[in-house]
């Protein structure tokens, strides 16, 4: 209004007559266009939209002082038209509109655009064929649905809360109303999200240009609405939006929507990737000068990079993946050695940003600080790689490296020298890079106190190459003048560089190279050189890290030729080490070279190497394609069968190979072979085959009737025997005889620790469930057990043991806990295993932890309680245990609510719990979750009796809800109960998760 008055005062034209509406005056006199053409209009265009729509949406008051909706009169229609004209002036740029307008205002504006574009009200957009609609109508629908999914995506981002000013009641009420209105609109948009995505996907199939309303077309609508179809929508009037520009915007918005959905459904990331890369292609076609297609290209690049990491392309070998993707995959799978190799290679290319490398180190340091001691060495290695990258680029050494290198040892220095050697190409490196590396090595030497470590660096090939003779002599002089702790100043010594290299020095250098090398042909060459220098040494003893199984030692060390003995021993030891650290490619090379060598003179060692290569291939498959569920090749399965059936005498066999082979057959459901085709002699000679056969047969018989499950009884007896203890009597000094229980009994086919180790190699859910239920049943057989643990398929096992005293139930209880921990690491969303974990905590009086797992079990099988929890998960026993947990935690209102979950409501327990006044839960704020009217009536009576008026009113309000009326149909009552169950369980989950 002020704006119109100001324009009227400065205009030379006569003022509008008093009887004319000022909005009509604004429209007819074209003052709006004149204002918008100013360089810096005040008020701004978006402020005008807000003012116009607020005026148009003001409710009216009738003669009875009743508030009525805004009337559909000429004044309000003109106001809405003015708002649309301002938006048309802004070319319907959603980036500008979303930045300045709230969700309710923009929702109103776009709905007016749909209305004026002749979109039938109440018609679903997904049911309309965009290809047959007029161009402006189709564009209006696209604008609305683009805004809808953009708003949903934006609402998923965290928002920094503005600092509240002085509290003003009217302002707070207005903010609260706007917040509630926004939440309601978002709820509707999310319900329609699937339809909006379908509309936008359909738009990508259009092959015609579209048009959007301009101020001129909107003027035509105001002057003569009947000419709309002929003048604006079916013709080329309006602002032309090219097909490529429209598709580019739609692809980007769809990609953002799919990416946001990917947090709950990772398969959708593939769709996001496709849309983002299509957006990049369209931007390249359109060019950066497009007026109607504004895409944040930096954000798009970030999305594309994230998709590359989350969804590698289908033909994703390690060479084709980006370094980001490789690092992400390795961190997720725990393959930290591969991360180190990537960082070393990156020291040559400088492709990974330093900040990214530092974030990886921070993540590993955090895990190490949480108690994972195995990561300490990995942290140093990653830090060393980052430090070498820093010094190559001229940055200072980080504090973290100095801390991790505070206590140097031979392994750390060996690794640091390896990183330095592999991080610089001496033939192509610039003088600057060489100078940085030389300065770093000199500083490391000056920081070391142990001369042995200084010698390791100063005798290294890289050090000798980078530093001139004068620099090396100067370094020695500096070390002599250092702190007397080094003892170089006490007795002058001749510089090492002044002494010609002796044979012992050359041997030391070659031994050092022998330790570091994983190339079989280089190892062979080094050993030939070493044996040419001396015949007195046994070079397989150079490193104490070279270990081979004792069953192989006697055979290998019995080889008469010393060179062959050293070579076979070292190749096998290095291959086993590479396999342990999951460097399977180098392990395969080492084993293949060893196999080729021993084939010439020892059939026995040839079979040993074939067995080790079989084990390596099993590990390679399990760590690679096997993780995604891809079945192993038939050749590998045949080789595993061949190993199990092997009857060659005098072949040294490692127990772990048989163990892995049987586990492999169970994991890939080769039950037919284990039950019917396995040779009889194997069952007697190999305990793992016997155990595997019983497990496979039990899996096969599980669907059958109970009386046919004979193998289940056999498996039960085998496990009971393994868990039994042998009693021994010992006479003490006082002459009394005492009973000694031998923990690891030899009564069974294997030790309990061996059984547990074998089980932890299994991944097949059914096999793990059967083993877990067996141990749970064995745990429940105890006479002194108070709280049974429930498990799936527990009924197939016998219910008693003849000799109960012989079973080591303490070991059984420990085994159950370890098995549950392992199975949940395989699949943390198995509700049956989660219930077992909850029962264990319940039995050991850890009620809060028990509730956590009971709730988690319900959440994983009900989409976080958005669906009903299956009754076979939340049985009456589970609900009663949850009730007891809440009762012992003094959460008495929760007890009363859970009593409703039982098939027959336990009013006695509910009323007794509500009588408790010392409750640790939210009490009356939980009344909205009660749907049983009897409990609510009792609450009303109880609060009235205690004089608690406020709480009584809350209970009365809860009773008064129409959906709880006893006269309602059963479906309505069940729906009301289900809705309250959902909200209560979600509230409990937030409390205990």
């Amino acid at each position: 209004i002020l704006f119109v008055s100001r324009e009227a005062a400065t205009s030379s034209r006569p003022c509008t007559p008093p009887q004319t509406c000022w909005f009509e005056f604004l429209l007819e006199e074209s003052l709006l266009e004149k204002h918008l053409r100013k360089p810096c209009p005040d008020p701004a265009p978006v402020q005008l939209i807000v003012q116009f729509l607020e005026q148009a949406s003001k409710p009216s008051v009738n003669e009875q002082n009743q508030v009525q909706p805004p009337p559909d009169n000429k004044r309000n229609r003109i106001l809405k038209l003015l708002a649309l004209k301002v938006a048309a002036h802004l070319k319907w740029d959603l980036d500008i509109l979303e930045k300045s307008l709230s969700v309710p205002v923009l929702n109103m504006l776009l709905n007016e655009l749909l209305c004026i574009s002749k979109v039938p009200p109440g018609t679903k957009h997904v049911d309309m064929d965009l290809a047959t609609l007029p161009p402006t109508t189709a564009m209006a629908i696209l604008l609305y649905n683009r805004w809808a999914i953009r708003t949903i995506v934006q609402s998923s981002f965290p928002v920094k809360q503005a600092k509240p000013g002085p509290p003003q009641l009217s302002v707070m009420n207005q903010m609260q109303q706007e917040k509630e209105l926004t939440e309601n609109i978002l709820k509707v948009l999310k319900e329609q999200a699937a339809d909006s995505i379908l509309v936008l996907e359909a738009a990508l199939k259009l092959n015609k240009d579209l048009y959007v309303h301009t101020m001129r077309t909107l003027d035509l609508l105001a002057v003569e609405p009947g000419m709309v179809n002929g003048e604006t929508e079916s013709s080329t009037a309006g602002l032309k939006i090219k097909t490529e520009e429209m598709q580019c915007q739609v692809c980007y918005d769809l990609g953002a929507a799919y990416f946001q959905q990917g947090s709950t459904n990772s398969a959708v990331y593939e769709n996001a990737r496709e849309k983002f890369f299509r957006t990049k292609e369209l931007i390249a076609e359109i060019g950066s000068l497009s007026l109607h297609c504004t895409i944040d290209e930096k954000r798009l690049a970030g999305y594309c990079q994230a998709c590359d990491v989350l969804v590698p392309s289908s033909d994703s070998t390690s060479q084709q993946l980006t370094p980001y993707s490789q690092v992400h995959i390795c961190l997720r799978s725990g393959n930290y050695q591969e991360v180190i190799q990537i960082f070393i290679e990156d020291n040559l290319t400088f492709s990974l940003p330093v900040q990214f490398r530092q974030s990886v180190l921070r993540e590993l340091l955090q895990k190490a600080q949480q108690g994972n001691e195995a990561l300490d060495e990995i942290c140093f290695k990653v830090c060393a790689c980052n430090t070498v990258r820093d010094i190559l680029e001229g940055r200072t050494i980080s504090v973290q490296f100095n801390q991790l290198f505070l206590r140097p040892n031979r392994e750390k220095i060996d690794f640091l020298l390896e990183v330095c050697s592999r991080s610089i190409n001496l033939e192509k490196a610039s003088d600057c890079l060489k100078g940085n590396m030389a300065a770093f090595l000199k500083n490391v030497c000056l920081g070391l106190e142990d001369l042995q470590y200084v010698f390791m660096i100063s005798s290294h090939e890289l050090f000798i190459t980078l530093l001139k003779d004068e620099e090396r002599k100067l370094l020695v002089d500096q070390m002599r003048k250092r702190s007397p702790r080094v003892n170089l100043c006490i007795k002058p010594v001749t510089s090492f560089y002044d002494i010609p290299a002796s044979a012992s020095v050359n041997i030391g250098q070659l031994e050092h190279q022998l330790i570091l090398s994983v190339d079989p042909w280089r190892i062979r060459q080094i050993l030939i050189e070493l044996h040419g220098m001396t015949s007195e040494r046994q070079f397989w003893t150079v490193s104490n890290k070279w270990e081979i199984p004792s069953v192989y030692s006697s055979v290998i060390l019995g080889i008469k030729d010393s060179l062959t003995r050293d070579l076979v021993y070292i190749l096998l030891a290095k291959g086993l080490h590479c396999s342990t650290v999951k460097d399977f490619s180098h392990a395969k090379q080492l084993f293949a070279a060893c196999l080729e060598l021993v084939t010439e003179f020892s059939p026995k060692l040839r079979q040993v190497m074939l067995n080790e290569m079989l084990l390596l291939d099993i590990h390679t498959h399990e760590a690679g394609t096997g993780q995604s569920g891809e079945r192993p090749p038939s050749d590998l399965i045949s080789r595993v069968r061949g190993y199990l059936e092997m009857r060659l005498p005098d072949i040294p066999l490692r127990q772990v190979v048989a163990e892995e082979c049987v586990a492999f057959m169970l994991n890939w459901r080769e039950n037919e072979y284990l039950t019917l085709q396995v040779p009889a002699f194997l069952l007697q000679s190999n305990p793992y085959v016997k155990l595997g056969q019983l497990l496979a047969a039990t899996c096969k018989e599980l669907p059958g009737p109970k009386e046919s499950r004979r193998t289940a009884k056999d498996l039960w007896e085998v496990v009971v025997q393994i868990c039994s203890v042998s009693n021994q009597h010992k006479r003490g000094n006082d002459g009394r005889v005492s009973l000694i229980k031998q923990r690891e009994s030899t009564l069974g086919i294997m030790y309990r620790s061996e059984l547990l180790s074998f089980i932890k190699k299994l991944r097949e859910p059914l096999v793990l469930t059967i083993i877990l239920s067996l141990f749970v049943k064995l745990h429940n057989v105890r006479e002194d057990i108070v709280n049974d643990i429930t498990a799936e398929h527990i009924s197939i096992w016998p219910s008693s043991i003849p000799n109960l005293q012989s079973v080591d139930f303490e070991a059984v209880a420990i085994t159950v806990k370890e098995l549950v921990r392992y199975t949940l690491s395989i699949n943390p969303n198995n509700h049956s295993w989660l219930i077992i974990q909850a029962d264990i905590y319940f039995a050991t009086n850890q009620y809060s932890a028990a509730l956590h797992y009971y709730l988690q079990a319900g959440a994983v099988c009900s989409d976080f309680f958005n669906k009903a929890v299956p009754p076979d998960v939340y049985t009456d026993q589970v609900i009663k245990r949850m009730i007891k947990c809440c009762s012992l935690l003094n959460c008495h209102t929760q007890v009363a609510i859970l009593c409703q979950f039982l098939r027959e409501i336990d009013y006695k327990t509910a009323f007794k719990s509500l009588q408790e006044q010392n409750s640790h839960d939210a009490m009356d704020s939980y009344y909205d979750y009660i749907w049983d009217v009897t409990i609510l009536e009792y609450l009303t009576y109880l609060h009235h009796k205690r004089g608690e008026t406020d709480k009584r009113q809350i209970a009365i309000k809860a009773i008064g809800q129409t959906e709880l009326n006893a006269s309602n149909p059963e479906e309505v009552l069940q729906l009301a109960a289900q809705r309250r169950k959902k909200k209560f369980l979600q509230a409990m989950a937030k409390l205990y998760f």
Side-chain angles (χ1 to χ4, degrees):
I1 296 171
L2 290 173
F3 152 62
V4 175
S5 302
R6 185 164 63 249
E7 286 288 344
T10 57
S11 175
S12 60
R13 291 174 297 178
C15 292
T16 179
Q19 67 270 21
T20 305
C21 175
W22 68 270
F23 298 106
E24 294 181 53
F25 173 72
L26 181 65
L27 185 67
E28 292 169 2
E29 298 296 326
S30 301
L31 293 178
L32 180 63
E33 291 89 333
K34 190 174 179 181
H35 174 73
L36 294 173
R37 283 197 295 269
K38 291 180 179 180
C40 297
D42 182 24
V46 287
Q47 293 174 344
L48 286 176
I49 294 175
V50 175
Q51 291 174 10
F52 292 149
L53 292 179
E54 281 183 353
Q55 289 289 332
S57 60
K58 276 188 177 178
S60 60
V61 180
N62 62 13
E63 297 176 355
Q64 288 79 26
N65 286 330
Q66 295 176 337
V67 178
Q68 300 290 330
D72 184 18
N73 53 26
K74 184 176 181 181
R75 168 188 178 276
N76 286 347
R77 286 196 293 273
I78 291 174
L79 282 166
K80 294 173 183 176
L81 185 60
L82 289 170
L84 290 171
K85 290 182 72 175
V86 177
H89 169 75
L90 297 173
K91 295 183 174 58
W92 301 100
D93 190 330
L94 287 180
D95 289 331
I96 297 174
L97 295 174
E98 288 172 340
K99 187 176 181 180
S100 307
L101 299 180
S102 63
V103 171
V105 172
L106 193 46
N107 180 55
M108 192 188 309
L109 179 70
L110 292 175
N111 274 299
E112 287 304 320
L113 176 64
L114 292 173
C115 182
I116 206 167
S117 301
K118 306 301 179 185
V119 177
T123 306
K124 285 189 174 183
H125 296 171
V126 73
D127 296 333
M128 303 178 75
D129 185 3
L130 296 177
T132 60
L133 293 175
T136 49
T137 305
M139 194 63 199
I141 291 173
L142 288 189
L143 272 172
Y144 179 83
N145 287 283
R146 278 185 58 215
W147 167 75
I149 64 170
R150 285 163 66 109
T151 304
I152 293 169
V153 171
Q154 192 64 34
S155 69
S156 67
F157 298 152
V159 179
K160 185 179 181 181
Q161 299 293 333
K163 293 184 179 179
Q168 297 180 11
L169 188 59
S170 60
V171 175
M172 291 174 67
N173 288 339
Q174 184 179 353
M175 289 173 63
Q176 182 62 28
Q177 288 174 4
E178 184 173 334
K179 182 180 177 183
E180 291 176 359
L181 188 55
T182 302
E183 288 175 354
N184 291 335
I185 293 171
L186 276 172
K187 183 179 178 183
V188 173
L189 293 179
K190 287 176 181 176
E191 290 172 356
Q192 299 173 351
D195 288 351
S196 294
I197 289 173
L198 289 174
V199 169
L200 296 180
E201 288 284 6
L204 295 177
K205 300 174 184 176
L206 293 177
N207 55 2
K208 66 176 183 178
D209 296 337
L210 298 181
Y211 294 85
V212 68
H213 280 301
T214 61
M215 296 179 75
R216 174 179 171 273
T217 58
L218 292 169
D219 278 336
L220 290 172
L221 286 172
V223 174
E224 196 170 357
M227 292 296 293
V228 171
N229 290 331
E231 184 63 28
T232 63
E233 293 183 346
S234 295
S235 67
T236 57
L239 184 64
K240 182 178 178 180
I241 308 295
K242 292 183 179 179
T243 308
E244 294 80 7
E245 293 177 325
M246 178 271 291
Q247 290 183 350
C248 186
Q249 291 174 322
V250 170
C251 277
Y252 180 74
D253 293 336
L254 277 173
Y258 287 139
F259 192 87
Q260 185 247 346
Q261 292 175 359
S263 58
T264 55
N265 181 7
S266 57
V268 183
Y269 281 128
E270 184 63 45
N271 295 340
R273 174 194 169 89
E274 179 188 339
K275 293 294 180 286
F276 285 134
F277 280 86
R278 178 59 182 155
T279 305
K280 288 179 73 174
E281 293 173 3
L282 288 168
I283 289 175
E285 291 177 19
I286 298 167
S288 57
L289 300 177
S290 173
L291 296 175
H292 313 305
C293 180
T294 55
I295 303 292
D296 186 345
E297 294 193 35
K298 287 186 178 180
R299 192 175 187 86
L300 174 62
Y303 273 130
C304 291
Q305 189 172 313
C307 289
D308 269 340
V309 172
L310 294 167
V311 190
S313 58
S314 56
D315 186 20
S316 57
T317 62
S318 59
Q319 288 78 17
Q320 293 168 327
L321 291 174
T322 64
Y324 288 104
S325 304
Q326 293 181 47
V327 171
H328 179 77
I329 292 168
C330 293
L331 288 175
R332 196 163 52 184
S333 62
N335 188 1
Y336 301 118
Q337 294 297 333
E338 186 62 27
V339 174
I340 293 166
Q341 297 305 317
I342 294 170
F343 277 17
I344 293 174
E345 292 168 7
D346 182 64
N347 285 349
L348 287 168
T349 59
F350 296 174
S351 59
L352 289 174
V354 175
Q355 295 80 2
F356 173 73
R357 294 171 60 127
Q358 289 171 348
S359 69
V360 172
L361 177 59
R362 281 196 298 273
E363 182 181 338
L364 293 172
L365 285 169
Q366 187 178 4
K367 289 182 180 178
Q369 288 168 0
Q370 291 171 353
N372 191 344
E373 296 180 358
L375 287 179
D376 290 342
E377 182 184 353
I378 300 296
C379 289
F380 168 75
K381 290 184 176 181
V382 172
C383 185
C385 295
N386 287 352
T387 301
V388 172
R389 166 75 179 271
D390 287 339
I391 62 104
L392 287 173
E393 293 187 316
R395 286 185 293 273
T396 57
I397 298 174
S398 66
V399 176
Q400 286 173 334
F401 177 76
N402 289 327
Q403 289 175 339
L404 294 171
F405 201 59
L406 198 60
R407 295 180 180 176
N409 55 36
R410 192 180 186 91
E411 288 76 15
K412 286 184 177 181
I413 292 173
D414 279 342
F415 179 77
L416 186 61
L417 290 170
E418 179 190 357
V419 174
C420 291
S421 301
R422 293 175 58 186
S423 298
I424 186 168
N425 187 338
L426 293 174
E427 296 178 0
K428 299 180 181 179
S430 63
D431 292 339
C432 179
L433 286 179
K434 292 179 181 178
N436 290 341
M437 182 66 79
F440 171 65
L441 292 174
K442 284 198 295 185
N443 286 332
V444 172
C445 283
L446 289 169
L448 292 171
E449 298 180 359
D450 193 328
L451 285 178
Q452 178 187 357
Y453 299 150
V454 175
F455 169 75
M456 284 178 64
I457 297 175
S458 61
S459 62
H460 195 271
E461 182 182 355
L462 179 66
F463 188 90
I464 296 170
T465 305
L466 290 175
L467 275 80
K468 298 177 182 177
D469 292 343
E470 295 79 10
E471 291 177 311
R472 295 199 294 269
K473 290 179 180 179
L474 181 62
L475 174 63
V476 173
D477 291 339
Q478 287 177 335
M479 294 177 67
R480 287 175 179 171
K481 295 173 184 177
R482 253 183 359 180
S483 168
R485 290 177 299 169
V486 186
N487 294 329
L488 285 176
C489 301
I490 297 174
K491 182 180 179 182
V493 294
T494 307
S495 169
F496 169 75
Y497 304 104
D498 298 332
I499 305 173
S502 64
S504 60
V505 173
N506 290 331
I507 289 174
Q509 291 176 346
L510 287 172
E511 287 179 345
H512 181 64
Q513 293 175 28
L514 185 64
I515 292 171
L516 295 180
S517 180
V518 288
D519 180 4
W521 304 113
R522 177 61 182 151
I523 292 169
R524 179 175 175 273
Q525 184 181 2
I526 293 171
L527 282 172
I528 290 171
E529 290 182 34
L530 287 170
H531 278 271
M533 292 179 179
T534 176
S535 58
E536 300 174 357
R537 296 280 303 278
Q538 293 181 331
F539 292 104
W540 61 269
T541 62
V542 165
S543 173
N544 58 4
K545 295 292 180 68
W546 292 341
E547 296 178 354
I548 62 173
S550 56
V551 291
Y552 298 161
S553 296
S554 57
V555 182
I556 294 174
L557 296 180
I559 298 173
K560 293 180 180 179
D561 181 65
S562 59
L563 173 59
T564 307
R565 179 174 61 242
D566 287 342
L567 185 54
V568 171
Y569 189 100
I570 293 171
L571 288 175
L572 179 56
K574 281 179 174 283
L576 291 171
H577 173 74
C578 288
S579 178
T580 303
V581 299
K582 298 186 178 180
D583 183 2
F584 299 125
S585 60
H586 282 129
K588 192 157 190 172
Q589 292 174 12
L590 292 160
F591 283 166
C594 192
L595 174 63
E596 184 180 348
L597 177 64
V598 299
T599 301
E600 299 174 359
F601 65 90
S602 175
K604 189 182 293 186
L605 284 176
R606 177 181 179 276
Q607 189 59 51
V608 165
M609 292 313 304
L610 288 173
N611 295 345
E612 290 299 329
M613 291 187 77
L614 170 63
L615 182 59
L616 176 65
D617 288 342
I618 291 174
H619 287 160
T620 304
H621 180 267
E622 297 295 301
T625 55
Q627 289 187 336
S628 60
E630 183 179 330
R631 279 191 63 80
S634 56
D635 170 63
L636 181 57
I637 295 175
S638 299
R639 288 167 60 201
V640 171
R641 291 183 179 183
Y643 174 83
L644 292 175
E645 297 170 11
M646 183 175 61
R647 300 186 68 174
L648 296 175
D650 302 326
I651 298 295
L653 299 175
R654 278 211 295 161
Q655 177 179 295
V656 69
V657 183
E659 195 177 342
E660 289 282 0
C661 285
V662 176
F664 177 83
M665 299 296 274
L666 286 170
N667 285 333
W668 295 106
R669 297 177 289 281
E670 292 290 325
N671 297 337
E672 201 71 29
Y673 171 79
L674 288 171
T675 51
L676 301 176
Q677 300 175 28
V678 67
F681 75 89
L682 274 178
L683 299 177
Q684 305 300 325
S685 60
N686 194 324
Y688 293 104
V689 175
K690 173 71 174 175
L691 185 61
Q693 188 218 29
L694 292 173
L695 283 168
T698 305
C699 289
K700 282 186 65 178
E701 293 180 0
L702 196 58
K706 188 173 181 180
E707 57 271 11
S708 69
R709 301 172 190 159
R710 303 183 66 177
T711 49
K713 185 179 179 183
D714 295 339
L715 178 60
W716 168 268
E717 289 173 354
V718 166
V719 174
V720 167
Q721 211 168 20
I722 292 172
C723 295
S724 296
V725 291
S726 55
N727 297 332
Q728 298 177 359
H729 294 83
K730 182 179 179 181
R731 188 176 298 277
N733 295 331
D734 56 358
R736 296 181 180 180
V737 176
S738 58
L739 183 66
I740 300 174
K741 284 189 175 182
Q742 188 71 28
R743 286 293 177 206
E744 286 287 349
S745 170
T746 55
L747 298 175
I749 60 175
M750 64 180 71
Y751 292 118
R752 185 181 63 87
S753 57
E754 293 173 338
L755 173 62
L756 191 59
S757 171
F758 172 72
I759 294 171
K760 287 185 177 181
K761 290 179 171 60
L762 300 174
R763 292 189 331 275
E764 171 60 23
L766 181 57
V767 178
L768 288 172
T769 300
I770 286 173
I771 294 172
L772 194 51
S773 68
L774 189 156
F775 274 95
V776 166
K777 183 67 176 182
L778 190 56
H779 173 272
N780 292 343
V781 168
R782 292 175 63 176
E783 294 177 345
D784 58 341
I785 198 75
V786 177
N787 296 308
D788 281 355
I789 300 173
T790 56
E792 202 174 356
H793 307 309
I794 201 169
S795 60
I796 68 174
W797 310 112
S799 55
S800 61
I801 300 174
N803 190 5
L804 204 61
Q805 293 77 17
S806 65
V807 178
D808 186 357
F809 286 108
E810 183 181 340
V812 170
I814 293 171
T815 305
V816 170
K817 291 178 183 178
E818 288 191 33
L819 288 180
V820 174
R821 192 180 303 116
Y822 170 70
T823 53
L824 288 178
S825 72
I826 296 294
N827 181 7
N829 294 327
N830 187 305
H831 63 81
S832 173
W833 299 344
L834 288 166
I835 291 287
I836 295 173
Q837 180 68 83
D839 284 348
I840 291 171
Y841 280 124
F842 181 82
T844 53
N845 303 329
Q846 300 178 67
Y847 302 114
S848 179
L851 270 175
H852 169 92
Y853 281 97
Y854 284 133
L855 289 166
Q856 192 173 341
V860 298
C861 60
S862 64
D863 191 18
F864 197 68
F865 305 113
N866 285 306
K867 301 173 185 174
V869 180
D872 60 330
V873 177
Y874 274 3
T875 61
D876 271 6
Q877 181 180 348
V878 170
I879 297 297
K880 286 176 181 177
R881 291 190 172 185
M882 292 173 71
I883 289 171
K884 186 172 180 181
C885 289
C886 291
S887 177
L888 292 168
L889 292 170
N890 284 336
C891 298
H892 300 296
T893 316
Q894 294 174 5
V895 170
I897 296 171
L898 284 170
C899 286
Q900 303 173 108
F901 284 61
L902 296 168
R903 285 182 175 81
E904 293 184 7
I905 299 176
D906 187 354
Y907 289 111
K908 181 179 178 181
T909 304
F911 292 167
K912 186 177 178 182
S913 66
L914 292 172
Q915 290 170 6
E916 297 285 345
Q917 290 184 292
N918 183 25
S919 185
H920 292 172
D921 57 22
M923 298 180 70
D924 49 329
S925 67
Y926 280 135
Y927 291 177
D928 284 340
Y929 303 138
I930 301 176
W931 65 86
D932 186 78
V933 177
T934 306
I935 295 177
L936 287 169
E937 287 174 345
Y938 180 76
L939 273 171
T940 308
Y941 159 75
L942 198 63
H943 290 314
H944 175 73
K945 183 179 176 182
R946 294 175 181 168
E948 297 168 343
T949 310
D950 293 343
K951 294 182 179 180
R952 178 172 175 271
Q953 285 302 116
I954 295 172
I956 291 173
K957 184 181 176 183
I959 295 177
Q961 296 176 84
T962 54
E963 56 188 353
L964 297 183
N965 193 319
S967 302
N968 287 337
E970 185 62 27
E971 295 81 7
V972 175
L973 294 173
Q974 287 180 0
L975 189 63
Q978 189 57 44
R979 191 162 64 86
R980 284 162 174 77
K981 281 183 181 180
K982 165 192 164 182
K983 290 187 175 180
F984 172 68
L985 290 171
Q986 287 177 341
M988 288 277 284
K990 290 176 182 176
L991 188 62
Y992 287 98
F993 281 3

